[in-house]
Amino acid sequence: MIGIVAAGILAAAAIELEGLPATIVLLAPFVALLILIVWMRPWSRPKAPRQKAEALRAIPAADVPLPVAEKAEPVDWAGRIATAEAARDHGALAGHFLAFARAEIAEGRTEQAAGYLRSSVRAAAKARDAAVQAEARFELAEIARAAGDLTTACEHWQMARALFHEQKSEARLGETERLMRQHGCPTDWVLNDF
């Protein structure tokens, strides 16, 4: 190893460089070192400016306005349903039952929601409202899936799929078919409406 270094020194001493070539030869080790340092440096995302974080910390908590939660007026679903029943308006009844069921689902009351969804399906069938019936079937499938009853979920998804197809609702049809594939539902069942 020492012999190679000595030979390199003798060769450099024998060759006389001036001007730009001499500058390049003298700077080459420094450039190689700089490239090595940059190459070995771990890359990370630039950090947020410290000034912005300090400015946010400088605002006292009492001066920060808190967002005011808008409280929605509670909907009298029972009153709306009773009015639609009295008027024998099956279309409105189907929509009210569906909306009421979704509100119950949001509150975690799935048993009550399932009953309202079944009522929505019946009213939608009488009103010949395939869109509401499809949505109610889809929600029933989701409740059944969450309860671990994939057979019932697949049945409701299949009926919802047929209704979405009838309505030419491509997005909902695709979503329903995706769920059916994901959960291994058969696609060739012959079902009766129930």
Side-chain angles (χ1 to χ4, degrees):
M1 179 76 172
I2 296 175
I4 295 173
V5 173
I9 292 172
L10 286 176
I15 301 172
E16 197 173 305
L17 295 174
E18 294 180 11
L20 183 61
T23 305
I24 291 173
V25 168
L26 287 174
L27 291 178
F30 295 110
V31 171
L33 183 61
L34 181 62
I35 291 171
L36 182 64
I37 290 171
V38 169
W39 182 69
M40 302 236 354
R41 181 178 168 207
W43 292 98
S44 62
R45 291 185 176 169
K47 295 180 180 174
R50 200 176 251 184
Q51 297 164 342
K52 186 175 180 181
E54 289 173 3
L56 288 174
R57 274 185 261 145
I59 299 173
D63 295 342
V64 177
L66 297 175
V68 178
E70 292 181 27
K71 226 176 182 182
E73 290 293 320
V75 178
D76 179 19
W77 291 114
R80 288 184 182 190
I81 289 169
T83 302
E85 283 177 332
R88 296 189 185 275
D89 185 351
H90 297 292
L93 193 57
H96 293 328
F97 274 125
L98 177 62
F100 193 12
R102 286 179 170 164
E104 293 292 288
I105 291 169
E107 294 294 323
R109 295 186 287 266
T110 56
E111 281 187 42
Q112 295 90 334
Y116 297 135
L117 289 168
R118 285 188 287 277
S119 296
S120 177
V121 167
R122 286 189 296 272
K126 287 180 184 175
R128 298 182 191 269
D129 190 341
V132 171
Q133 187 178 357
E135 291 296 331
R137 292 278 185 192
F138 189 87
E139 295 289 348
L140 280 166
E142 288 300 302
I143 289 173
R145 180 198 54 79
D149 184 357
L150 285 180
T151 301
T152 302
C154 288
E155 290 171 350
H156 283 297
W157 278 323
Q158 184 171 9
M159 286 183 269
R161 180 183 69 169
L163 292 163
F164 287 135
H165 178 73
E166 180 183 310
Q167 295 296 305
K168 294 180 176 45
S169 178
E170 297 298 322
R172 296 296 278 159
L173 176 63
E175 181 181 1
T176 305
E177 288 177 340
R178 180 189 61 78
L179 286 168
M180 290 177 73
R181 279 190 307 274
Q182 180 181 343
H183 292 90
C185 296
T187 58
D188 56 354
W189 285 354
V190 176
L191 298 173
N192 295 325
D193 249 353
F194 62 92

